[in-house]
Amino acid sequence: MTALQVDTDPAEVGFDPARLARLDRRLARWVDDGRLPGHLVTVARHGRLVHVGRYGHRDVERGLPVEDDTRWRIYSMTKPVTSVAAMMLYEEGAFELSDPIARWLPEFGETRVYVAGSAQKPVTAPQTEPIRVWHLLTHMSGLTYGFHHAHPVDALYRAAGHEWGTPAGADSAEVCRQWAAIPLVFQPGSEWNYGVSTDVLGRLVEVLSGSPLDEFFEQRIFAPLGMRDTSFGLREGDDVESLARLYTAVPGTPDGAATGFAPLDAMGAAAHRKPAFLSGGGGLVSTAGDYLRFVELLRRGGAYDGGRLLGPRTIAHMTRNHLPGDADLETFGRPLFAETPLRGVGFGLGFSMVIDPTRYGVVASAGDYSWGGAASTAFYVDPVEDVTVSFYTQLLPSSTLPIRNHLRQLVNQALVD
């Protein structure tokens, strides 16, 4: 077992231990109320791990507890890893952020743009602005997700087999060809829309590097960081019981609020093996200890104990708001599902960040950056307080409980220096 060892008295780095315990009590209440199967949470400051909270089960029905080496489907927390991979190639001069992606993925050069009509009879127009690399990193490409159920183009994705998965046997090259044949939701750069942009970015990493995405991740990111338990699905020889069971919220009140959860085994089984499609937007499983190494890489400005993956100025550029006019997601984005609240939150190259704590409505630092996953996993880095927080569970959808807001308010109220 890879143990997560608290290495510092919280008081030594400005935390009140008694107040920090409120975090565990709040999270445990959701487990005891039957609204969350189990969880693991980490809190670190100045790179020193001051708190690890574990409670509940990774598999409720079998009575298997959450443990340090529990593997979690991190879904969209794969996206920051893919963004880091792309920016490593950027630092090597492989592309400019303004380059059209059709230079390497020519199928996207002819992708049409939806302007009117239904999913059955869409009216489209040519691109007036090509999809550029930075459009993929910022989700301003016009690509979408089939599971949004908010736009006629979403329905076209679903009709082509792209909702919570992709057609069986299709690899990243084929999947990108299929997406390129479907209209964009809008002209690239004109709006923000959460979608498959980072999956296309993962394919771009493959083409530019000449390596499959799993090999690039393993050789260039995971091995240097010592992330031994992170992969696209479980590997041969991995213990299936180490993978937490996937659950979905069960509505139980007139307003649709969830009062329980049920296993989602058909969807969860996809992570039992390496898939044909290496999803740069959501395909990784990981452990809390592994992903903490990645989060600490970000906090350190791209450095780790044995060297450096990215320059600090590159990390700083990635974690600035890139939305035009310094707008927030509520103003510039579309009113649909995302892995973050939209008010007072901007978006950079692979991360969201708090740009207006007052508008955000939660005690937080300006510049705090983060992302999360569909099964309610989340992390954030607060560069002002030099704090990192990560959270793991397996409950779909991530909007079921206000976990991300509670993480910030309960961690920040415990800071007393």
Side-chain angles (χ1 to χ4, degrees):
M1 176 183 290
T2 303
L4 283 165
Q5 298 288 349
V6 171
D7 55 20
T8 301
D9 181 342
E12 292 182 12
V13 291
F15 278 104
D16 181 325
R19 296 177 72 88
L20 194 56
R22 294 174 176 175
L23 175 63
D24 286 343
R25 290 199 295 272
R26 168 65 270 191
L27 296 174
R29 199 181 317 157
W30 279 322
V31 176
D32 293 340
D33 289 347
R35 302 176 71 189
L36 196 66
H39 70 267
L40 193 154
V41 62
T42 71
V43 181
R45 195 177 198 197
H46 311 317
R48 297 156 74 181
L49 190 60
V50 299
H51 183 78
V52 179
R54 317 164 190 84
Y55 195 68
H57 295 88
R58 69 180 189 270
D59 187 325
V60 175
E61 290 72 20
R62 299 178 65 191
L64 300 176
V66 169
E67 297 179 308
D68 288 352
D69 61 353
T70 296
R71 284 184 170 91
W72 311 92
R73 300 164 190 81
I74 61 172
Y75 287 118
S76 287
M77 279 166 55
T78 305
K79 288 180 171 69
V81 180
T82 304
S83 300
V84 164
M87 295 306 289
M88 290 170 68
L89 294 173
Y90 167 80
E91 287 193 334
E92 295 169 7
F95 62 85
E96 294 185 65
L97 291 170
S98 59
D99 283 339
I101 67 169
R103 182 174 300 176
W104 301 280
L105 305 176
E107 59 268 32
F108 286 100
E110 301 301 323
T111 301
R112 305 279 293 182
V113 179
Y114 171 92
V115 293
S118 66
Q120 290 71 37
K121 292 187 177 181
V123 179
T124 65
Q127 296 176 45
T128 57
E129 166 76 0
I131 302 175
R132 302 182 187 277
V133 179
W134 75 276
H135 292 144
L136 297 179
L137 284 154
T138 58
H139 289 283
M140 289 194 282
S141 63
L143 296 161
T144 191
Y145 272 130
F147 62 71
H148 283 325
H149 291 259
H151 191 279
V153 172
D154 303 343
L156 292 173
Y157 274 58
R158 294 193 298 275
H162 300 271
E163 186 169 7
W164 285 101
T166 52
D171 62 10
S172 57
E174 175 57 27
V175 165
C176 282
R177 283 192 290 269
Q178 293 177 16
W179 287 330
I182 302 173
L184 302 175
V185 177
F186 49 74
Q187 291 289 348
S190 64
E191 297 184 49
W192 187 92
N193 184 67
Y194 195 42
V196 299
S197 292
T198 315
D199 290 297
V200 177
L201 186 69
R203 175 58 185 157
L204 187 63
V205 168
E206 292 185 327
V207 173
L208 289 168
S209 68
S211 299
L213 196 59
D214 59 340
E215 292 182 11
F216 187 95
F217 280 2
E218 177 61 35
Q219 296 167 9
R220 300 289 304 275
I221 298 176
F222 299 157
L225 293 181
M227 295 172 66
R228 298 181 180 88
D229 297 317
T230 304
S231 57
F232 283 102
L234 296 179
R235 297 161 299 201
E236 188 174 345
D238 285 341
D239 181 6
V240 174
E241 286 195 352
S242 71
L243 182 66
R245 196 170 193 175
L246 185 64
Y247 294 91
T248 185
V250 176
T253 64
D255 63 359
T259 57
F261 51 83
L264 199 59
D265 290 340
M267 183 174 174
H272 289 180
R273 63 195 64 83
K274 179 180 172 180
F277 170 49
L278 304 177
S279 169
L284 291 176
V285 298
S286 189
T287 62
D290 264 20
Y291 205 82
L292 179 60
R293 292 171 182 268
F294 178 74
V295 175
E296 281 295 315
L297 171 85
L298 302 174
R299 184 193 66 85
R300 296 182 182 188
Y304 64 100
D305 290 342
R308 178 173 292 281
L309 296 186
L310 284 175
R313 289 160 185 80
T314 300
I315 294 286
H317 190 67
M318 295 173 72
T319 55
R320 293 188 181 104
N321 185 22
H322 286 246
L323 301 183
D326 202 31
D328 67 4
L329 289 172
E330 186 173 71
T331 303
F332 192 74
R334 292 190 163 228
L336 43 73
F337 169 85
E339 301 294 356
T340 181
L342 305 179
R343 242 182 6 263
V345 175
F347 202 85
L349 304 182
F351 306 92
S352 66
M353 67 285 308
V354 177
I355 57 174
D356 186 340
T358 303
R359 185 163 163 75
Y360 182 47
V362 177
V363 175
S365 298
D368 152 339
Y369 61 92
S370 63
W371 205 238
S376 302
T377 60
F379 81 93
Y380 74 87
V381 178
D382 184 336
V384 176
E385 300 293 352
D386 202 26
V387 164
T388 66
V389 177
S390 65
F391 176 84
Y392 306 88
T393 190
Q394 296 284 257
L395 180 66
L396 281 163
S398 63
S399 56
T400 304
L401 297 169
I403 292 167
R404 291 157 192 173
N405 287 349
H406 276 78
L407 289 175
R408 285 176 172 82
Q409 70 191 63
L410 289 166
V411 170
N412 284 323
Q413 63 82 33
L415 281 168
V416 294
D417 65 351

